[in-house]
Amino acid sequence: MKVLTSIVSDAGHVVFGTVAELFWVEVDAMLGHRSAFRERLDVLRSSENAADMVARQIDLIPESTRRFQRTRTERQHTISKFLRASRELGDRLRDSLPGGRKPARD
């Protein structure tokens, strides 16, 4: 029973930790979008003419692309950690049940 309690407790930590980590990834992404929006407004205000504005806005596209990719990578990393931890918890649960698989002995 102690093993099962430990597994359930660890599962709660995994789920809570994953949700918290995803929350902060999204907060960081929103702050980045807000910053980029402000930068684009500054470019709009300081542009001398339409051609200058368009050219300067286009120059900002690579940074936006990098920001989106960075956020996507952070999400994937967090989900990957969650899946790995879930598999480990599943293995521990199977091993703890009567008739469950037993660890291989050398």
Side-chain angles (χ1 to χ4, degrees):
M1 189 53 118
K2 286 183 181 182
V3 172
L4 188 57
T5 303
S6 172
I7 292 170
V8 170
S9 175
D10 290 348
H13 289 290
V14 167
V15 170
F16 179 76
T18 301
V19 169
E21 192 170 334
L22 285 173
F23 172 79
W24 288 112
V25 166
E26 296 306 320
V27 166
D28 186 48
M30 289 188 315
L31 292 174
H33 294 314
R34 186 182 79 179
S35 174
F37 181 71
R38 285 183 176 173
E39 185 176 7
R40 282 178 167 40
L41 284 177
D42 290 343
V43 165
L44 182 64
R45 288 184 191 121
S46 66
S47 296
E48 298 170 7
N49 55 45
D52 179 50
M53 179 194 63
V54 170
R56 291 173 67 188
Q57 292 290 345
I58 288 173
D59 288 344
L60 295 173
I61 290 174
E63 178 54 36
S64 294
T65 303
R66 283 190 294 274
R67 186 177 54 258
F68 280 115
Q69 183 59 40
R70 191 171 44 248
T71 301
R72 181 172 180 243
T73 300
E74 289 173 2
R75 282 186 199 118
Q76 287 175 332
H77 176 72
T78 301
I79 296 300
S80 178
K81 285 187 343 187
F82 172 76
L83 293 174
R84 189 172 43 254
S86 296
R87 279 191 299 274
E88 290 172 6
L89 287 168
D91 290 344
R92 284 176 52 199
L93 180 61
R94 270 190 300 282
D95 292 343
S96 71
L97 296 174
R101 69 176 186 193
K102 300 296 178 199
R105 299 205 178 215
D106 294 318

XYZ file of all heavy atoms in Angstrom:
849
model
N 0.826 -1.188 0.000
C 0.000 0.000 0.000
C 0.874 1.255 0.000
O 0.510 2.247 -0.605
C -0.919 -0.032 1.221
C -1.965 1.056 1.178
S -2.904 1.053 -0.339
C -4.498 0.750 0.262
N 2.033 1.200 0.671
C 2.931 2.353 0.679
C 3.422 2.672 -0.730
O 3.552 3.838 -1.098
C 4.135 2.096 1.586
C 3.831 2.151 3.053
C 5.101 1.946 3.844
C 4.807 1.973 5.327
N 6.024 1.814 6.126
N 3.678 1.621 -1.509
C 4.172 1.821 -2.869
C 3.108 2.519 -3.706
O 3.394 3.467 -4.439
C 4.576 0.471 -3.509
C 4.904 0.641 -4.967
C 5.731 -0.153 -2.755
N 1.863 2.073 -3.582
C 0.766 2.677 -4.334
C 0.571 4.138 -3.934
O 0.385 5.009 -4.789
C -0.523 1.879 -4.112
C -1.703 2.285 -4.985
C -1.350 2.194 -6.457
C -2.902 1.412 -4.673
N 0.642 4.417 -2.655
C 0.519 5.797 -2.172
C 1.636 6.653 -2.744
O 1.408 7.791 -3.174
C 0.557 5.828 -0.639
O -0.485 4.995 -0.133
C 0.392 7.230 -0.117
N 2.835 6.110 -2.772
C 3.973 6.831 -3.325
C 3.780 7.112 -4.811
O 4.063 8.213 -5.291
C 5.253 6.023 -3.106
O 6.330 6.596 -3.792
N 3.271 6.134 -5.546
C 3.045 6.296 -6.983
C 1.988 7.366 -7.233
O 2.162 8.240 -8.096
C 2.647 4.951 -7.628
C 3.839 3.981 -7.591
C 2.170 5.158 -9.066
C 3.495 2.559 -7.968
N 0.902 7.321 -6.485
C -0.169 8.317 -6.652
C 0.349 9.707 -6.306
O 0.072 10.687 -7.004
C -1.406 7.945 -5.799
C -2.412 9.081 -5.760
C -2.048 6.672 -6.331
N 1.124 9.811 -5.245
C 1.703 11.094 -4.861
C 2.640 11.618 -5.953
O 2.577 12.793 -6.329
C 2.463 10.942 -3.548
O 3.127 12.140 -3.226
N 3.484 10.743 -6.470
C 4.400 11.143 -7.541
C 3.627 11.551 -8.802
O 4.016 12.502 -9.490
C 5.376 10.017 -7.870
C 6.385 9.785 -6.754
O 6.474 10.630 -5.832
O 7.076 8.740 -6.800
N 2.536 10.857 -9.092
C 1.713 11.208 -10.256
C 1.135 12.613 -10.095
O 1.106 13.397 -11.043
C 0.591 10.185 -10.447
N 0.699 12.932 -8.882
C 0.190 14.276 -8.627
C 1.256 15.331 -8.853
O 0.993 16.380 -9.449
N 2.477 15.042 -8.409
C 3.580 15.979 -8.619
C 3.896 16.145 -10.103
O 4.161 17.261 -10.569
C 4.831 15.515 -7.875
C 4.728 15.636 -6.388
N 4.719 16.847 -5.742
C 4.616 14.695 -5.425
C 4.605 16.653 -4.441
N 4.533 15.348 -4.222
N 3.856 15.049 -10.829
C 4.140 15.098 -12.268
C 3.095 15.956 -12.980
O 3.425 16.838 -13.775
C 4.198 13.675 -12.874
C 4.171 13.720 -14.393
C 5.434 12.940 -12.381
N 1.824 15.703 -12.681
C 0.750 16.458 -13.342
C 0.818 17.932 -12.957
O 0.797 18.819 -13.822
C -0.637 15.867 -13.005
C -1.754 16.784 -13.470
C -0.779 14.482 -13.627
N 0.927 18.214 -11.672
C 0.979 19.602 -11.224
C 2.210 20.310 -11.794
O 2.128 21.447 -12.275
C 0.997 19.685 -9.694
C 1.065 21.093 -9.186
C -0.060 21.907 -9.202
C 2.259 21.615 -8.717
C 0.006 23.212 -8.757
C 2.335 22.918 -8.261
C 1.205 23.723 -8.284
N 3.347 19.643 -11.756
C 4.576 20.237 -12.286
C 4.476 20.528 -13.772
O 4.930 21.570 -14.246
N 3.859 19.617 -14.518
C 3.699 19.818 -15.955
C 2.780 20.990 -16.248
O 3.086 21.838 -17.089
C 3.159 18.541 -16.624
O 4.082 17.470 -16.382
C 2.975 18.733 -18.117
N 1.651 21.048 -15.549
C 0.713 22.158 -15.756
C 1.391 23.487 -15.408
O 1.274 24.468 -16.149
C -0.576 21.948 -14.930
C -1.444 23.198 -14.913
C -1.355 20.765 -15.484
N 2.123 23.519 -14.308
C 2.806 24.755 -13.908
C 3.862 25.153 -14.937
O 3.967 26.326 -15.304
C 3.451 24.572 -12.532
N 4.614 24.178 -15.413
C 5.647 24.486 -16.402
C 5.034 24.993 -17.704
O 5.515 25.970 -18.288
C 6.502 23.248 -16.659
C 7.756 23.537 -17.431
C 8.714 22.348 -17.481
O 8.685 21.499 -16.566
O 9.487 22.295 -18.439
N 3.956 24.352 -18.159
C 3.278 24.822 -19.374
C 2.700 26.221 -19.174
O 2.731 27.050 -20.086
C 2.179 23.846 -19.797
C 2.668 22.562 -20.444
C 1.495 21.604 -20.652
C 3.378 22.842 -21.760
N 2.189 26.490 -17.989
C 1.660 27.817 -17.686
C 2.753 28.871 -17.877
O 2.539 29.891 -18.531
C 1.117 27.855 -16.248
C 0.736 29.234 -15.782
C -0.468 29.789 -16.173
C 1.590 29.972 -14.976
C -0.831 31.065 -15.755
C 1.248 31.244 -14.550
C 0.026 31.798 -14.941
N 3.941 28.613 -17.326
C 5.022 29.600 -17.429
C 5.565 29.706 -18.845
O 5.979 30.795 -19.273
C 6.119 29.315 -16.417
C 5.639 29.642 -15.037
C 5.401 28.767 -14.019
C 5.266 30.942 -14.540
N 4.914 29.440 -12.926
C 4.820 30.780 -13.213
C 5.268 32.216 -15.095
C 4.386 31.840 -12.439
C 4.831 33.277 -14.320
C 4.398 33.093 -13.009
N 5.533 28.625 -19.599
C 5.924 28.701 -21.014
C 4.971 29.646 -21.748
O 5.398 30.499 -22.535
C 5.922 27.295 -21.667
C 5.989 27.388 -23.186
C 7.079 26.457 -21.137
N 3.675 29.506 -21.464
C 2.687 30.360 -22.135
C 2.779 31.808 -21.670
O 2.624 32.731 -22.472
C 1.272 29.807 -21.934
C 1.052 28.444 -22.557
C 1.413 28.383 -24.031
O 1.130 29.339 -24.775
O 1.998 27.368 -24.446
N 3.027 32.021 -20.389
C 3.199 33.397 -19.892
C 4.393 34.039 -20.597
O 4.308 35.187 -21.063
C 3.386 33.421 -18.357
C 3.897 34.771 -17.880
C 2.068 33.074 -17.672
N 5.486 33.313 -20.687
C 6.674 33.829 -21.359
C 6.371 34.133 -22.830
O 6.816 35.157 -23.360
C 7.815 32.821 -21.239
C 9.117 33.349 -21.780
O 9.491 34.488 -21.431
O 9.770 32.627 -22.560
N 5.608 33.263 -23.478
C 5.250 33.494 -24.880
C 4.402 34.754 -25.024
O 4.635 35.564 -25.932
C 4.498 32.283 -25.433
N 3.443 34.936 -24.127
C 2.600 36.137 -24.198
C 3.415 37.401 -23.969
O 3.205 38.412 -24.643
C 1.447 36.042 -23.204
C 0.402 35.030 -23.607
S -1.096 34.991 -22.619
C -0.513 35.056 -20.960
N 4.349 37.354 -23.038
C 5.206 38.519 -22.800
C 6.058 38.818 -24.032
O 6.273 39.982 -24.382
C 6.087 38.296 -21.570
C 5.350 38.249 -20.230
C 6.317 37.878 -19.113
C 4.664 39.570 -19.938
N 6.521 37.784 -24.679
C 7.286 37.964 -25.914
C 6.446 38.578 -27.017
O 6.902 39.456 -27.750
N 5.199 38.118 -27.136
C 4.297 38.687 -28.149
C 4.006 40.155 -27.853
O 3.966 40.982 -28.762
C 2.992 37.902 -28.224
C 3.165 36.499 -28.721
N 3.914 36.170 -29.821
C 2.674 35.327 -28.253
C 3.881 34.875 -30.012
N 3.142 34.335 -29.075
N 3.814 40.451 -26.582
C 3.541 41.844 -26.199
C 4.736 42.729 -26.536
O 4.588 43.823 -27.077
C 3.214 41.932 -24.714
C 2.783 43.341 -24.293
C 2.518 43.400 -22.835
N 3.827 43.487 -22.166
C 3.987 43.578 -20.873
N 2.954 43.549 -20.070
N 5.186 43.678 -20.351
N 5.915 42.235 -26.234
C 7.131 42.988 -26.540
C 7.274 43.200 -28.053
O 7.614 44.294 -28.502
C 8.342 42.241 -25.988
O 9.529 42.862 -26.377
N 7.008 42.150 -28.819
C 7.102 42.256 -30.280
C 6.058 43.232 -30.821
O 6.341 43.996 -31.748
C 6.925 40.884 -30.918
N 4.882 43.214 -30.249
C 3.829 44.133 -30.679
C 4.257 45.582 -30.425
O 4.109 46.446 -31.295
C 2.524 43.815 -29.934
C 1.383 44.699 -30.325
C 0.788 44.570 -31.562
C 0.915 45.662 -29.446
C -0.268 45.397 -31.939
C -0.141 46.491 -29.794
C -0.735 46.366 -31.046
N 4.831 45.817 -29.251
C 5.318 47.172 -28.944
C 6.427 47.589 -29.911
O 6.478 48.733 -30.355
C 5.831 47.241 -27.511
C 4.740 47.273 -26.503
C 5.305 47.410 -25.114
N 4.220 47.523 -24.159
C 4.383 47.519 -22.865
N 5.596 47.428 -22.354
N 3.359 47.610 -22.056
N 7.307 46.649 -30.222
C 8.387 46.952 -31.158
C 7.818 47.310 -32.530
O 8.262 48.256 -33.177
C 9.331 45.760 -31.266
C 10.553 46.018 -32.116
C 11.513 44.837 -32.128
O 11.181 43.768 -31.586
O 12.606 45.015 -32.693
N 6.804 46.575 -32.961
C 6.186 46.857 -34.250
C 5.487 48.223 -34.248
O 5.529 48.945 -35.243
C 5.209 45.759 -34.625
C 5.949 44.544 -35.150
C 5.036 43.404 -35.485
N 5.573 42.316 -36.243
C 6.743 41.748 -36.157
N 7.626 42.211 -35.323
N 7.093 40.737 -36.898
N 4.867 48.567 -33.135
C 4.246 49.895 -33.040
C 5.300 50.998 -33.098
O 5.084 52.037 -33.742
C 3.438 50.017 -31.749
C 2.093 49.319 -31.726
C 1.438 49.465 -30.352
C 1.175 49.872 -32.804
N 6.415 50.785 -32.432
C 7.506 51.765 -32.482
C 8.012 51.941 -33.912
O 8.282 53.062 -34.350
C 8.665 51.355 -31.568
C 8.321 51.472 -30.098
O 7.327 52.162 -29.763
O 9.046 50.856 -29.277
N 8.131 50.831 -34.628
C 8.567 50.887 -36.027
C 7.535 51.658 -36.849
O 7.884 52.505 -37.677
C 8.785 49.473 -36.593
C 8.887 49.480 -38.113
C 10.029 48.848 -35.982
N 6.283 51.380 -36.601
C 5.209 52.072 -37.323
C 5.270 53.579 -37.078
O 5.174 54.370 -38.019
C 3.851 51.511 -36.875
C 2.616 52.074 -37.539
C 2.615 51.736 -39.020
C 1.370 51.529 -36.864
N 5.470 53.959 -35.835
C 5.517 55.384 -35.489
C 6.750 56.080 -36.047
O 6.702 57.253 -36.389
C 5.487 55.544 -33.974
C 4.163 55.228 -33.366
C 4.183 55.505 -31.860
N 2.998 54.955 -31.234
C 2.998 54.053 -30.275
N 4.133 53.614 -29.776
N 1.859 53.611 -29.777
N 7.860 55.383 -36.097
C 9.107 56.030 -36.504
C 9.403 55.900 -37.992
O 10.397 56.460 -38.459
C 10.272 55.467 -35.697
O 10.475 54.114 -36.022
N 8.579 55.199 -38.721
C 8.823 55.024 -40.154
C 8.613 56.338 -40.890
O 7.693 57.100 -40.596
C 7.888 53.960 -40.730
O 8.169 52.721 -40.149
N 9.481 56.561 -41.859
C 9.415 57.802 -42.628
C 8.341 57.753 -43.697
O 7.736 58.770 -44.022
C 10.784 58.085 -43.247
C 11.859 58.293 -42.189
C 13.250 58.331 -42.779
O 13.382 58.333 -44.023
O 14.198 58.372 -41.994
N 8.140 56.574 -44.272
C 7.118 56.416 -45.311
C 6.670 54.957 -45.330
O 7.180 54.127 -44.583
C 7.656 56.858 -46.682
C 8.932 56.128 -47.053
O 9.030 54.921 -46.901
N 9.936 56.885 -47.532
N 5.722 54.650 -46.185
C 5.151 53.302 -46.227
C 6.196 52.252 -46.614
O 6.230 51.159 -46.034
C 3.973 53.258 -47.192
N 7.047 52.577 -47.562
C 8.059 51.612 -48.006
C 9.039 51.310 -46.867
O 9.416 50.148 -46.655
C 8.808 52.144 -49.222
N 9.442 52.339 -46.140
C 10.338 52.160 -45.004
C 9.662 51.302 -43.928
O 10.285 50.403 -43.362
C 10.732 53.533 -44.430
C 11.644 53.423 -43.233
O 12.659 52.692 -43.320
O 11.352 54.064 -42.199
N 8.395 51.570 -43.673
C 7.662 50.817 -42.663
C 7.590 49.331 -43.037
O 7.862 48.463 -42.218
C 6.248 51.365 -42.490
C 5.439 50.588 -41.472
S 3.679 50.940 -41.530
C 3.248 50.388 -43.159
N 7.230 49.063 -44.288
C 7.111 47.671 -44.731
C 8.466 46.966 -44.637
O 8.561 45.838 -44.143
C 6.539 47.602 -46.168
C 6.650 46.196 -46.732
C 5.093 48.069 -46.183
N 9.515 47.629 -45.073
C 10.852 47.019 -45.027
C 11.264 46.712 -43.594
O 11.801 45.636 -43.304
C 11.864 47.949 -45.688
N 11.006 47.631 -42.692
C 11.386 47.420 -41.290
C 10.526 46.349 -40.626
O 11.011 45.586 -39.789
C 11.322 48.748 -40.535
C 12.441 49.691 -41.008
C 12.342 51.067 -40.448
N 12.567 51.046 -39.002
C 12.391 52.108 -38.225
N 11.998 53.258 -38.741
N 12.606 52.027 -36.929
N 9.256 46.275 -41.008
C 8.389 45.220 -40.462
C 8.856 43.849 -40.953
O 8.876 42.879 -40.199
C 6.922 45.451 -40.858
C 6.273 46.659 -40.232
C 6.032 46.502 -38.740
O 6.094 45.422 -38.187
N 5.766 47.632 -38.083
N 9.231 43.783 -42.204
C 9.732 42.513 -42.764
C 11.014 42.092 -42.053
O 11.230 40.905 -41.810
C 9.935 42.645 -44.292
C 8.561 42.697 -44.979
C 10.764 41.492 -44.842
C 8.596 42.997 -46.451
N 11.837 43.057 -41.692
C 13.070 42.743 -40.966
C 12.790 42.095 -39.605
O 13.641 41.391 -39.061
C 13.906 44.010 -40.744
C 14.544 44.517 -42.026
O 14.602 43.741 -43.007
O 14.978 45.683 -42.041
N 11.612 42.324 -39.052
C 11.265 41.754 -37.744
C 10.733 40.317 -37.838
O 10.623 39.629 -36.825
C 10.222 42.642 -37.044
C 10.705 44.040 -36.664
C 9.537 44.869 -36.146
C 11.808 43.967 -35.636
N 10.421 39.860 -39.026
C 9.830 38.523 -39.199
C 10.746 37.407 -38.677
O 10.264 36.494 -37.991
C 9.405 38.295 -40.664
C 8.194 39.178 -40.976
C 9.080 36.824 -40.928
C 7.762 39.152 -42.429
N 12.052 37.419 -38.966
C 12.890 36.317 -38.454
C 12.854 36.187 -36.922
O 12.830 35.063 -36.399
C 14.293 36.671 -38.951
C 14.064 37.514 -40.158
C 12.821 38.296 -39.856
N 12.831 37.302 -36.219
C 12.771 37.233 -34.749
C 11.444 36.632 -34.302
O 11.398 35.827 -33.370
C 12.976 38.611 -34.121
C 12.865 38.601 -32.615
C 13.777 37.584 -31.922
O 14.898 37.355 -32.388
O 13.342 37.003 -30.907
N 10.359 36.994 -34.968
C 9.052 36.412 -34.632
C 9.069 34.908 -34.861
O 8.564 34.141 -34.048
C 7.942 37.056 -35.469
O 7.792 38.402 -35.141
N 9.658 34.503 -35.970
C 9.754 33.074 -36.289
C 10.563 32.339 -35.222
O 10.166 31.265 -34.768
C 10.385 32.881 -37.679
O 9.600 33.586 -38.644
C 10.466 31.421 -38.051
N 11.682 32.927 -34.807
C 12.500 32.305 -33.758
C 11.738 32.212 -32.441
O 11.826 31.211 -31.726
C 13.802 33.087 -33.556
C 14.847 32.829 -34.625
C 16.185 33.434 -34.257
N 16.160 34.884 -34.204
C 16.341 35.688 -35.237
N 16.558 35.177 -36.435
N 16.319 36.998 -35.091
N 10.976 33.252 -32.112
C 10.208 33.250 -30.865
C 9.147 32.139 -30.895
O 8.989 31.400 -29.931
C 9.549 34.618 -30.638
C 8.866 34.740 -29.288
C 8.283 36.117 -29.019
N 7.377 36.564 -30.057
C 7.681 37.447 -31.014
N 8.870 37.993 -31.064
N 6.799 37.779 -31.922
N 8.441 32.004 -32.021
C 7.440 30.940 -32.132
C 8.092 29.566 -32.026
O 7.581 28.670 -31.335
C 6.675 31.044 -33.460
C 5.588 32.072 -33.452
C 5.670 33.176 -34.278
C 4.479 31.940 -32.632
C 4.665 34.129 -34.294
C 3.470 32.888 -32.627
C 3.561 33.993 -33.464
N 9.231 29.385 -32.695
C 9.927 28.099 -32.645
C 10.425 27.786 -31.241
O 10.331 26.656 -30.780
C 11.097 28.087 -33.638
C 11.819 26.764 -33.703
C 10.934 25.613 -34.110
O 10.091 25.749 -34.978
N 11.102 24.473 -33.480
N 10.946 28.794 -30.554
C 11.444 28.605 -29.185
C 10.303 28.161 -28.257
O 10.453 27.222 -27.474
C 12.080 29.909 -28.699
C 12.854 29.812 -27.438
C 13.649 31.080 -27.125
N 12.920 32.329 -27.339
C 13.198 33.221 -28.297
N 14.183 33.016 -29.144
N 12.490 34.326 -28.419
N 9.153 28.814 -28.394
C 7.997 28.444 -27.568
C 7.535 27.028 -27.893
O 7.242 26.233 -26.998
C 6.846 29.448 -27.774
O 7.298 30.753 -27.426
C 5.632 29.081 -26.933
N 7.498 26.700 -29.170
C 7.084 25.350 -29.582
C 8.039 24.298 -29.024
O 7.621 23.256 -28.508
C 7.050 25.281 -31.105
C 6.610 23.954 -31.633
C 6.418 24.018 -33.140
N 6.000 22.739 -33.633
C 6.716 22.010 -34.475
N 7.866 22.458 -34.932
N 6.281 20.835 -34.861
N 9.337 24.579 -29.086
C 10.342 23.650 -28.555
C 10.179 23.470 -27.050
O 10.274 22.350 -26.534
C 11.760 24.161 -28.885
O 11.889 24.253 -30.310
C 12.824 23.250 -28.326
N 9.922 24.570 -26.330
C 9.727 24.484 -24.875
C 8.488 23.650 -24.551
O 8.509 22.843 -23.618
C 9.605 25.879 -24.278
C 10.915 26.640 -24.273
C 10.755 28.083 -23.838
O 9.632 28.514 -23.504
O 11.774 28.795 -23.833
N 7.410 23.840 -25.308
C 6.200 23.021 -25.087
C 6.501 21.548 -25.324
O 6.106 20.690 -24.530
C 5.091 23.460 -26.036
C 4.380 24.700 -25.653
C 3.207 24.946 -26.595
N 2.794 26.314 -26.528
C 2.814 27.166 -27.545
N 3.199 26.771 -28.744
N 2.424 28.408 -27.379
N 7.164 21.257 -26.445
C 7.476 19.862 -26.772
C 8.356 19.228 -25.700
O 8.143 18.068 -25.340
C 8.167 19.784 -28.136
C 7.246 20.035 -29.294
C 7.993 20.076 -30.621
O 9.172 20.419 -30.680
N 7.295 19.735 -31.683
N 9.319 19.975 -25.201
C 10.207 19.462 -24.149
C 9.396 19.135 -22.889
O 9.594 18.080 -22.274
C 11.295 20.489 -23.848
C 12.187 20.101 -22.724
N 13.128 19.099 -22.837
C 12.274 20.553 -21.450
C 13.754 18.962 -21.689
N 13.263 19.830 -20.825
N 8.493 20.026 -22.509
C 7.675 19.808 -21.314
C 6.778 18.588 -21.483
O 6.680 17.746 -20.576
C 6.824 21.068 -21.021
O 7.708 22.175 -20.826
C 5.958 20.873 -19.791
N 6.140 18.470 -22.640
C 5.261 17.313 -22.894
C 6.083 16.027 -22.929
O 5.653 14.993 -22.403
C 4.473 17.509 -24.208
C 3.538 18.713 -24.105
C 3.702 16.250 -24.577
C 2.496 18.621 -23.005
N 7.269 16.082 -23.502
C 8.141 14.911 -23.550
C 8.519 14.454 -22.138
O 8.497 13.252 -21.836
C 9.388 15.238 -24.365
O 10.256 14.161 -24.387
N 8.863 15.403 -21.265
C 9.178 15.057 -19.873
C 7.965 14.428 -19.195
O 8.094 13.470 -18.435
C 9.617 16.304 -19.097
C 10.989 16.775 -19.411
C 11.519 17.906 -18.556
C 10.556 18.700 -17.761
N 11.119 19.869 -17.083
N 6.775 14.983 -19.451
C 5.553 14.443 -18.861
C 5.323 13.002 -19.321
O 5.006 12.123 -18.504
C 4.352 15.315 -19.230
C 3.038 14.727 -18.820
C 2.642 14.755 -17.497
C 2.205 14.128 -19.758
C 1.433 14.202 -17.111
C 0.994 13.574 -19.374
C 0.607 13.615 -18.048
N 5.472 12.753 -20.614
C 5.243 11.395 -21.137
C 6.250 10.401 -20.569
O 5.893 9.272 -20.219
C 5.293 11.414 -22.667
C 4.162 12.180 -23.346
C 4.403 12.255 -24.852
C 2.815 11.563 -23.032
N 7.501 10.830 -20.463
C 8.540 9.951 -19.887
C 8.216 9.624 -18.430
O 8.274 8.470 -18.009
C 9.904 10.629 -20.020
C 11.069 9.761 -19.663
C 12.427 10.397 -20.001
N 12.553 11.810 -19.671
C 12.535 12.806 -20.576
N 12.385 12.537 -21.863
N 12.674 14.062 -20.190
N 7.833 10.643 -17.667
C 7.489 10.425 -16.257
C 6.247 9.548 -16.131
O 6.171 8.688 -15.246
C 7.271 11.761 -15.551
N 5.284 9.733 -17.033
C 4.064 8.909 -17.004
C 4.381 7.446 -17.281
O 3.832 6.555 -16.633
C 3.057 9.419 -18.029
O 2.631 10.711 -17.696
N 5.264 7.210 -18.256
C 5.669 5.822 -18.538
C 6.351 5.193 -17.329
O 6.089 4.043 -16.975
C 6.593 5.781 -19.752
C 5.871 5.840 -21.080
C 6.789 5.518 -22.244
N 7.902 6.450 -22.354
C 7.863 7.607 -23.004
N 6.753 7.980 -23.596
N 8.927 8.378 -23.065
N 7.225 5.959 -16.686
C 7.915 5.439 -15.493
C 6.924 5.125 -14.375
O 7.046 4.090 -13.706
C 8.958 6.446 -15.013
C 10.146 6.574 -15.944
C 11.080 7.715 -15.562
O 10.878 8.341 -14.498
O 12.015 7.982 -16.333
N 5.943 6.004 -14.200
C 4.925 5.741 -13.169
C 4.098 4.518 -13.520
O 3.767 3.708 -12.644
C 4.020 6.969 -13.001
C 4.658 8.160 -12.303
C 3.784 9.397 -12.468
C 4.889 7.858 -10.833
N 3.765 4.364 -14.789
C 3.029 3.176 -15.231
C 3.819 1.903 -14.985
O 3.267 0.891 -14.531
N 5.109 1.964 -15.269
C 5.971 0.798 -15.012
C 6.009 0.474 -13.522
O 5.913 -0.696 -13.126
C 7.394 1.053 -15.515
C 7.488 1.087 -17.034
O 6.540 0.625 -17.710
O 8.522 1.584 -17.540
N 6.161 1.514 -12.695
C 6.181 1.297 -11.239
C 4.859 0.700 -10.760
O 4.840 -0.187 -9.903
C 6.445 2.609 -10.517
C 7.884 3.054 -10.564
C 8.119 4.405 -9.939
N 7.579 4.516 -8.588
C 7.334 5.693 -7.988
N 7.582 6.828 -8.618
N 6.848 5.726 -6.764
N 3.750 1.186 -11.311
C 2.444 0.679 -10.908
C 2.295 -0.789 -11.305
O 1.875 -1.623 -10.491
C 1.326 1.513 -11.532
C -0.093 1.098 -11.204
C -0.340 1.194 -9.694
C -1.084 1.954 -11.962
N 2.664 -1.129 -12.541
C 2.582 -2.532 -12.984
C 3.453 -3.430 -12.111
O 3.052 -4.525 -11.745
C 3.014 -2.647 -14.443
C 1.879 -2.499 -15.424
C 2.308 -2.861 -16.832
N 3.394 -2.025 -17.337
C 3.246 -0.787 -17.793
N 2.053 -0.240 -17.807
N 4.283 -0.108 -18.245
N 4.650 -2.943 -11.793
C 5.563 -3.742 -10.977
C 5.037 -3.949 -9.555
O 5.350 -4.946 -8.907
C 6.947 -3.088 -10.910
C 7.665 -3.116 -12.244
O 7.259 -3.899 -13.132
O 8.628 -2.339 -12.399
N 4.245 -3.007 -9.072
C 3.765 -3.099 -7.689
C 2.519 -3.966 -7.546
O 2.194 -4.390 -6.441
C 3.472 -1.696 -7.141
O 2.305 -1.173 -7.762
N 1.816 -4.222 -8.637
C 0.588 -5.017 -8.569
C 0.907 -6.504 -8.498
O 1.889 -6.966 -9.085
C -0.291 -4.738 -9.784
C -0.815 -3.304 -9.899
C -1.550 -3.124 -11.211
C -1.711 -2.958 -8.722
N 0.063 -7.265 -7.792
C 0.271 -8.720 -7.755
C 0.206 -9.284 -9.173
O -0.677 -8.928 -9.946
C -0.896 -9.242 -6.918
C -1.394 -8.053 -6.162
C -1.077 -6.851 -6.988
N 1.157 -10.105 -9.513
C 1.195 -10.686 -10.852
C 1.787 -9.732 -11.885
O 1.849 -10.061 -13.059
N 2.186 -8.564 -11.439
C 2.814 -7.605 -12.354
C 4.176 -8.102 -12.770
O 4.715 -9.051 -12.203
N 4.724 -7.482 -13.770
C 6.039 -7.942 -14.220
C 7.078 -7.643 -13.142
O 6.968 -6.680 -12.397
C 6.412 -7.311 -15.549
C 6.672 -5.867 -15.439
C 7.122 -5.283 -16.730
N 7.450 -3.914 -16.342
C 7.656 -2.943 -17.128
N 7.578 -3.137 -18.401
N 7.942 -1.760 -16.685
N 8.020 -8.469 -13.070
C 9.071 -8.343 -12.072
C 10.336 -7.837 -12.752
O 10.595 -8.172 -13.915
C 9.355 -9.683 -11.400
C 8.147 -10.257 -10.705
C 7.717 -9.371 -9.563
C 6.457 -9.939 -8.897
N 5.753 -8.993 -8.116
N 11.137 -7.056 -12.051
C 12.394 -6.596 -12.638
C 13.295 -7.772 -12.997
O 13.325 -8.775 -12.277
C 13.032 -5.750 -11.538
C 11.961 -5.494 -10.526
C 10.918 -6.565 -10.702
N 13.970 -7.644 -14.103
C 14.889 -8.705 -14.525
C 16.062 -8.773 -13.556
O 16.572 -7.764 -13.111
C 15.376 -8.429 -15.950
N 16.451 -10.002 -13.218
C 17.594 -10.188 -12.319
C 18.789 -10.631 -13.129
O 18.686 -11.405 -14.043
C 17.256 -11.237 -11.271
C 16.091 -10.797 -10.442
C 16.118 -11.437 -9.133
N 14.980 -10.918 -8.376
C 15.014 -10.723 -7.115
N 16.076 -10.994 -6.431
N 13.959 -10.263 -6.480
N 19.934 -10.093 -12.753
C 21.172 -10.454 -13.474
C 21.724 -11.749 -12.993
O 21.666 -12.203 -11.941
C 22.226 -9.356 -13.297
C 21.775 -8.068 -13.977
O 21.236 -8.172 -15.101
O 21.948 -6.990 -13.382
